[in-house]
């Protein structure tokens, strides 16, 4: 399913050695094994990467998704140009060389040859990558699906259960086996508590593209569909304390934040997205994002709102769930 975190099908031979080299990186992905992030190493493991195909790219977002191999393991590499930061402008202007391309009256264009440290490319490596990872990053047409409460019970939920999408990497975070140094805020309460940490899509070098994830401590809430009025204390706690933590840590007021849930989510453990208002984060469109404030109000009005409500969401052409809706005659 669109952005579904695929279970890592790990080979027993050679995997451990390669995994030691690769700093675990996640873009709304997960590891199917109990892999815990190791100390990052400076070794350039990409020198061994052999490109098979470009899955997709975006000139606007300055990203490219590449399928290939690291040794004998399938891999996906994601390259993303990092934003230009205001606090580096003076050094960027004084330390760069300009190569004139064109001049006409008051207009001129140049190639700016910046110092090496300003040419950083954020790199995410998914290895070993499964077929589901490859399809996830491949350019595909999408269709908008209409899912009733009954559709969820008869089509979506059985599909989720059959696929057994692993969230072991989420449990590693909650159990403090991985990413402990990245935790921004923690409420340890087993019922209403959560961990707040940066999403891997954010390099944390500027707040203009701030992106954090609140992962709930409860492990039996898969998505929006599971929420009832019993979960209001949890949702209200995330909403309030998440905003307070971001204000304290990043000096960003609540009025500058977009706080929402995805449906369908990228992985089936309830989590809430905090992004800076104005940043067009992936999946923040109306067809997938549900504002947390609206979710709270809906549940206050109707305790079973998301059990019965018809929800709409996009699915990509090769998503298995889309096939299930077609087979059921719902698309």
């Amino acid at each position: 399913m669109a952005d579904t975190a695929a279970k890592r099908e790990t080979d027993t031979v050679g995997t451990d050695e390669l995994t030691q080299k690769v700093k675990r990186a996640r873009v709304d992905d997960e590891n199917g094994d109990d892999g815990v992030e190791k100390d990052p190493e400076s070794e350039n493991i990409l020198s061994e990467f052999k490109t098979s195909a470009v899955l997709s790219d975006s000139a606007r977002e300055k990203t490219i998704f590449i399928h290939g191999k690291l040794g004998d393991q399938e891999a996906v590499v994601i390259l993303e140009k990092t934003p230009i930061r205001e606090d580096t402008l003076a050094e960027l202007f004084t330390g760069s060389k300009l190569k004139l391309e064109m001049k006409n009256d008051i207009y001129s264009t140049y190639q700016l040859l910046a110092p090496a440290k300003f040419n950083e490319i954020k790199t995410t490596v998914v290895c070993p990558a499964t077929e589901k990872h490859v399809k996830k990053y491949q350019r595909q047409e999408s269709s908008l699906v209409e899912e009733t409460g009954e559709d969820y019970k008869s089509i979506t939920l059985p599909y989720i259960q059959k696929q057994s999408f692993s969230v072991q990497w989420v449990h590693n975070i909650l159990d403090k086996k991985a990413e402990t140094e990245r935790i921004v805020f923690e409420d340890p309460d087993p019922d209403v508590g959560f961990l707040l940490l940066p999403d891997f899509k954010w390099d944390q070098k500027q707040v203009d593209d701030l992106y954090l994830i609140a992962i709930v401590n409860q492990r039996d809430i898969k998505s929006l569909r599971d929420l009832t009025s019993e979960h209001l204390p949890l949702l209200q706690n995330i909403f309030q304390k998440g905003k307070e933590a971001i204000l304290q840590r990043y000096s960003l007021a609540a009025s500058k934040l977009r706080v929402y849930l995805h449906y369908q989510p990228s992985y089936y453990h309830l989590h809430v997205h905090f992004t800076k208002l104005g940043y067009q984060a992936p999946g923040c469109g109306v067809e997938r994002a549900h504002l947390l404030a609206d979710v709270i109000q809906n549940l206050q009005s109707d305790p079973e709102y998301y059990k019965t409500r018809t929800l709409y969401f996009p699915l990509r052409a090769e998503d298995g769930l889309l096939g299930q809706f077609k087979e059921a005659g719902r698309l």
Side-chain angles (χ1 to χ4, degrees):
M1 84 179 29
D3 286 342
T4 296
K7 183 176 182 180
R8 180 175 285 185
E9 298 164 357
T10 309
D11 293 333
T12 57
V13 179
T15 300
D16 290 342
E17 178 182 354
L18 184 57
T19 303
Q20 294 296 326
K21 295 181 180 180
V22 181
K23 180 182 180 181
R24 191 183 71 77
R26 168 172 58 82
V27 181
D28 279 338
D29 270 315
E30 50 71 32
N31 296 335
D33 54 15
D34 192 24
V36 175
E37 181 179 338
K38 309 299 180 182
D39 290 336
E41 299 180 11
S42 59
E43 179 182 359
N44 180 17
I45 56 101
L46 290 182
S47 63
E48 305 172 13
F49 183 73
K50 305 298 182 184
T51 299
S52 300
V54 173
L55 300 174
S56 62
D57 58 27
S58 171
R60 179 178 180 179
E61 297 178 1
K62 297 178 177 58
T63 57
I64 186 168
F65 300 80
I66 310 153
H67 177 216
K69 282 195 171 185
L70 273 174
D72 60 353
Q73 302 285 347
E74 297 292 328
V76 172
V77 173
I78 305 166
L79 304 179
E80 178 183 0
K81 290 288 289 182
T82 55
I84 298 171
R85 307 201 320 268
E86 183 178 353
D87 61 356
T88 66
L89 291 179
E91 188 177 357
L92 179 64
F93 290 145
T94 58
S96 301
K97 296 181 180 179
L98 286 180
K99 182 180 179 182
L100 180 66
E101 291 189 330
M102 180 277 294
K103 184 173 178 61
N104 183 357
D105 192 28
I106 65 172
Y107 302 100
S108 54
T109 60
Y110 302 84
Q111 283 289 331
L112 187 147
L113 307 177
K117 67 179 180 179
F118 295 119
N119 293 324
E120 180 179 288
I121 297 177
K122 180 183 175 185
T123 304
T124 301
V125 180
V126 182
C127 183
T130 67
E131 181 181 355
K132 292 177 182 177
H133 287 111
V134 174
K135 287 182 178 179
K136 169 180 175 176
Y137 298 117
Q138 202 166 37
R139 185 181 290 109
Q140 299 178 34
E141 292 294 323
S142 295
S143 298
L144 195 66
V145 172
E146 177 183 337
E147 180 195 77
T148 67
E150 286 302 315
D151 289 334
Y152 176 74
K153 295 175 185 176
S154 63
I155 302 174
T156 305
L157 183 58
Y159 176 79
I160 294 169
Q161 293 170 335
K162 183 178 179 181
Q163 294 296 312
S164 299
F165 297 114
S166 173
V167 288
Q168 182 59 53
W169 64 269
V170 176
H171 295 168
N172 287 342
I173 293 173
L174 294 175
D175 294 336
K176 308 294 180 61
K177 294 180 179 179
E179 305 185 35
T180 54
E181 75 286 352
R182 303 181 68 248
I183 296 173
V184 171
F185 174 82
E186 177 183 7
D187 181 340
D189 187 281
D191 296 320
V192 301
F194 64 97
L195 290 177
L196 184 68
L197 68 165
D199 187 277
F200 272 101
K201 288 184 283 293
W202 183 37
D203 64 10
Q204 304 179 63
K205 293 184 177 179
Q206 60 284 312
V207 297
D208 286 345
D209 56 345
L210 176 140
Y211 198 149
L212 295 107
I213 299 290
I215 300 175
V216 304
N217 290 336
Q218 291 193 49
R219 303 192 183 194
D220 58 350
I221 312 174
K222 291 184 290 297
S223 73
L224 197 63
R225 283 291 191 191
D226 289 334
L227 295 175
T228 69
S229 59
E230 293 181 0
H231 299 109
L232 282 171
L234 167 65
L235 301 177
Q236 292 166 333
N237 191 51
I238 293 172
F239 197 37
Q240 184 62 35
K241 291 185 178 177
K243 292 185 294 184
E244 291 174 355
I246 290 172
L247 176 61
Q248 182 176 356
R249 180 72 172 266
Y250 303 106
S251 301
L252 199 61
S255 61
K256 303 298 183 181
L257 294 175
R258 181 193 293 115
V259 188
Y260 57 97
L261 297 87
H262 279 154
Y263 191 78
Q264 294 284 328
S266 52
Y267 50 95
Y268 291 97
H269 180 110
L270 190 72
H271 56 285
V272 177
H273 303 255
F274 288 77
T275 63
K276 186 176 187 293
L277 194 65
Y279 169 51
Q280 295 303 306
C284 71
V286 295
E287 70 277 12
R288 191 176 174 205
H290 298 255
L291 291 176
L292 180 56
D294 289 341
V295 172
I296 291 172
Q297 290 187 30
N298 289 336
L299 291 173
Q300 287 172 333
S301 300
D302 179 357
E304 299 287 315
Y305 185 91
Y306 291 103
K307 298 288 188 181
T308 60
R309 169 78 176 183
T310 295
L311 298 176
Y312 297 82
F313 50 86
L315 291 176
R316 299 200 299 170
E318 295 191 28
D319 194 304
L321 183 57
L322 184 65
Q324 295 296 307
F325 270 84
K326 288 181 176 179
E327 289 181 14
R330 295 291 291 120
L331 195 68

